[in-house]
Amino acid sequence: MGTPAIEIRDLHKYFGDLEVLRGIDFEVDTGEVVCIIGPSGSGKSTLLRCVNRLEEATSGHVLIEGEDITDPASDVDALRAKIGMVFQQFNLFPHLDVRKNLTISQRKVLGRSQDEAAEVAARMLERVGLTDKIDEYPARLSGGQQQRVAIARALCMNPDMMMFDEVTSALDPELVGEVLQVMRDLADEGMTMLVVTHEMGFARNVADRVVFMDEGIIMEDGPPGEILANPKEERTREFLRMVLEEGF
Amino acid sequence: MVTKTARPIWKHPRFVPGIMYGLLVLIALLLVFFADWDKIQSNFLKPEIFRDMFPEVLTIAAKNTLIYTAVAFAAGFVLALVLALMKLSPIGPYRWFATSYIELFRGLPALVTIILVAFGLPIAFGWRIPFGTAGKAAVGLGLVAAAYMAETIRAGIQAVPRGQMEAARSLGMSAPTAMAYIVLPQAFRIIIPPLTNELVLLIKDTSLLFVVGTTPASKELTKFGRDFMTTTINATPLTVIALVYLMITLPMTSLVRQLEKRAAKGR
């Protein structure tokens, strides 16, 4: 393997006195799909947000394709454009229609022409199956549709990798499937993906690796069959029992 | 079994409204019988004076009031936007400056600021603000309006969910780009009603320019009315300018109500 897509070295993050991340080391290789699971408050989302520096790590390093994004001298904006991010709350721009949601950052960041950006937008919208919604405003879309548009918006930047932060947690149960299907398609096409999720089915079927986090550290890291079926750690077993009982 | 306690008269549901209507009728009757209607009419509603004031009250005075409002609002808005962004800046001294500015100009009477700009600066530095009364309106009233509008704009920016900035940044937009194209357009939509309110206040505050706009061509409504009152020794000009002010402000306040209603529905 060459340079990993994401490399995290001894990452620590404090919120005030609270140490949310207590020394994280791990890598995501190009083309790999890694799912992070764990109880709420374990630091999964914070870890994701440190990777594209939405949160500043207190110490440690995050390397994106070998470039240190935590280095103050690095071009954060350029590195972020390589990492597509999808949020739990969709965060579509409500004052812009779907077309403009998909084109504005292509124009302002990549400097693409209006025509080129619109052409890319149409292609990505087709990928998530929402071609007919191009003129709608986000408020007129269902949660599942909004999240698919958000994925398309990230894809418009031709990112080298995608991060998903509990993207189905805010959805009505019947809308979860359509979003997971889009993510599965992406994985099949070889996209590098780092996914924080509570969807154990998705982790089992799609992930190359599953990472279990608890209390700010990585407790276990391995193939889904191993982590989900035969966890070594008692904490992992406890968590999985809880999740399965609650019927997530 | 149902027992019924006798209810005293003042607990009857129609007792209090009854008293209130009675009071209203009484005051109306007093007004009709005891007010000096002849004096009111000859001093506030004299038709000849009404006629004499037109068309200048509209073509000069009202026009000037609107011009002064527009330039003061434009100048104030630009400055307010800068102040609001300074107030949200991660750099301490910017925040302190903005806070001090806002506290200073909200704490001073607008009239003092206008006098300072119009007379204080020329005395101190021998330098006059160009463009006559309009220039003084832009600077004097603009400085004051900026202090109020800065707080409104800051609140609007903060009312935009944080996820919007995060989504924009994670797409690679720089902070200024995200602010200009994603956050500010949404913030402005939120603050259109309160900002229109500030505009109405500003229309009324242009009356303070009576101290600077004193030439026949530069008078705004209040100065125009007062001078007319002095020459005619009659209060009718006040009635006229009051009506003109209302002609300007009432549509604006009803616009604010419409906008607020629409904003409440849209969110």
Side-chain angles (χ1 to χ4, degrees), chain B residues 136-181:
Chain B
K136 289 168 189 136
V139 179
L141 278 179
L143 285 172
V144 180
Y148 289 94
M149 287 197 277
E151 283 294 341
T152 308
I153 296 174
R154 179 195 54 76
I157 292 173
Q158 286 183 318
V160 176
R162 224 168 51 124
Q164 291 292 309
M165 180 54 108
E166 289 181 350
R169 296 304 305 274
S170 71
L171 287 163
M173 285 188 213
S174 65
T177 304
M179 182 55 82
Y181 293 98

Side-chain angles (χ1 to χ4, degrees), chain B residues 72-101:
Chain B
F73 189 79
F77 182 80
V78 172
L79 184 54
L81 182 56
V82 174
L83 285 168
L85 293 173
M86 284 174 92
K87 196 141 194 219
L88 295 169
S89 162
I91 297 161
Y94 280 170
R95 284 200 307 275
W96 305 328
F97 174 83
T99 306
S100 317
Y101 179 98

Side-chain angles (χ1 to χ4, degrees), chain A residues 49 52 54 77 80 83 87 91-95 104-105 108-109 153 157, chain B residues 162-164 166-174 177 181-182 185-186 189:
Chain A
R49 295 163 59 84
N52 69 354
L54 283 181
D77 296 337
R80 276 187 184 137
I83 315 169
F87 299 86
N91 294 344
L92 291 181
F93 307 133
H95 62 302
I104 188 159
S105 53
K108 302 297 169 196
V109 179
R153 179 175 69 177
M157 302 299 286
Chain B
R162 224 168 51 124
Q164 291 292 309
E166 289 181 350
R169 296 304 305 274
S170 71
L171 287 163
M173 285 188 213
S174 65
T177 304
Y181 293 98
I182 304 302
Q186 296 182 56
R189 207 162 287 195

Side-chain angles (χ1 to χ4, degrees), chain B residues 172-199:
Chain B
M173 285 188 213
S174 65
T177 304
M179 182 55 82
Y181 293 98
I182 304 302
V183 177
L184 284 182
Q186 296 182 56
F188 286 143
R189 207 162 287 195
I190 297 170
I191 61 175
I192 282 174
L195 225 47
T196 315
N197 244 333
E198 315 259 5
L199 183 60

Side-chain angles (χ1 to χ4, degrees), chain A residues 141-244:
Chain A
L141 303 176
S142 74
Q145 292 171 336
Q146 288 192 49
Q147 197 59 296
R148 284 148 68 197
V149 171
I151 294 172
R153 179 175 69 177
L155 291 174
C156 281
M157 302 299 286
N158 301 106
D160 293 349
M161 61 200 82
M162 292 280 288
M163 298 202 295
F164 297 84
D165 188 4
E166 299 197 26
V167 295
T168 55
S169 299
L171 295 176
D172 291 336
E174 74 271 22
L175 303 177
V176 170
E178 60 188 76
V179 174
L180 291 181
Q181 187 54 51
V182 168
M183 291 166 67
R184 195 166 310 193
D185 293 345
L186 267 180
D188 289 345
E189 288 160 29
M191 176 62 80
T192 308
M193 290 164 65
L194 184 55
V195 185
V196 169
T197 188
H198 290 295
E199 299 289 337
M200 293 306 147
F202 181 83
R204 185 180 303 114
N205 297 325
V206 182
D208 299 308
R209 262 166 61 210
V210 172
V211 171
F212 175 70
M213 271 184 79
D214 192 26
E215 295 180 345
I217 54 170
I218 291 178
M219 300 281 283
E220 265 188 271
D221 181 347
E226 204 173 286
I227 304 289
L228 297 174
N230 286 308
K232 289 198 245 350
E233 300 287 335
E234 176 54 31
R235 277 294 291 140
T236 317
R237 250 170 286 170
E238 216 175 288
F239 170 75
L240 288 172
R241 203 159 48 234
M242 230 165 54
V243 169
L244 294 176

Side-chain angles (χ1 to χ4, degrees), chain A:
Chain A
M1 278 273 160
T3 318
I6 304 171
E7 185 179 348
I8 299 171
R9 287 196 208 138
D10 195 27
L11 194 73
H12 290 260
K13 172 67 185 174
Y14 284 86
F15 286 121
D17 286 337
L18 184 69
E19 191 173 16
V20 187
L21 297 178
R22 303 188 295 150
I24 303 284
D25 284 278
F26 93 116
E27 293 175 4
V28 179
D29 281 323
T30 305
E32 216 180 7
V33 177
V34 177
C35 281
I36 305 178
I37 62 171
S40 56
S42 57
K44 314 176 296 270
S45 288
T46 306
L47 176 61
L48 228 55
R49 295 163 59 84
C50 282
V51 169
N52 69 354
R53 239 177 96 182
L54 283 181
E55 300 284 356
E56 297 284 349
T58 311
S59 69
H61 296 273
V62 176
L63 278 62
I64 305 298
E65 295 170 346
E67 260 188 84
D68 192 347
I69 196 172
T70 49
D71 179 353
S74 69
D75 185 351
V76 178
D77 296 337
L79 286 173
R80 276 187 184 137
K82 292 186 183 181
I83 315 169
M85 176 130 179
V86 186
F87 299 86
Q88 184 176 347
Q89 298 299 337
F90 329 136
N91 294 344
L92 291 181
F93 307 133
H95 62 302
L96 304 175
D97 63 14
V98 168
R99 186 196 317 271
K100 285 216 115 186
N101 262 279
L102 267 56
T103 53
I104 188 159
S105 53
Q106 296 186 62
R107 310 244 353 223
K108 302 297 169 196
V109 179
L110 304 177
R112 286 181 183 156
S113 71
Q114 178 65 55
D115 288 349
E116 194 186 356
E119 194 261 323
V120 173
R123 222 170 47 230
M124 295 309 159
L125 212 50
E126 194 186 344
R127 253 170 109 170
V128 300
L130 290 172
T131 302
D132 55 327
K133 302 293 184 194
I134 193 150
D135 291 318
E136 293 285 8
Y137 279 83
R140 313 231 329 151
L141 303 176
S142 74
Q145 292 171 336
Q146 288 192 49
Q147 197 59 296
R148 284 148 68 197
V149 171
I151 294 172
R153 179 175 69 177
L155 291 174
C156 281
M157 302 299 286
N158 301 106
D160 293 349
M161 61 200 82
M162 292 280 288
M163 298 202 295
F164 297 84
D165 188 4
E166 299 197 26
V167 295
T168 55
S169 299
L171 295 176
D172 291 336
E174 74 271 22
L175 303 177
V176 170
E178 60 188 76
V179 174
L180 291 181
Q181 187 54 51
V182 168
M183 291 166 67
R184 195 166 310 193
D185 293 345
L186 267 180
D188 289 345
E189 288 160 29
M191 176 62 80
T192 308
M193 290 164 65
L194 184 55
V195 185
V196 169
T197 188
H198 290 295
E199 299 289 337
M200 293 306 147
F202 181 83
R204 185 180 303 114
N205 297 325
V206 182
D208 299 308
R209 262 166 61 210
V210 172
V211 171
F212 175 70
M213 271 184 79
D214 192 26
E215 295 180 345
I217 54 170
I218 291 178
M219 300 281 283
E220 265 188 271
D221 181 347
E226 204 173 286
I227 304 289
L228 297 174
N230 286 308
K232 289 198 245 350
E233 300 287 335
E234 176 54 31
R235 277 294 291 140
T236 317
R237 250 170 286 170
E238 216 175 288
F239 170 75
L240 288 172
R241 203 159 48 234
M242 230 165 54
V243 169
L244 294 176
E245 268 171 23
E246 283 176 21
F248 273 107

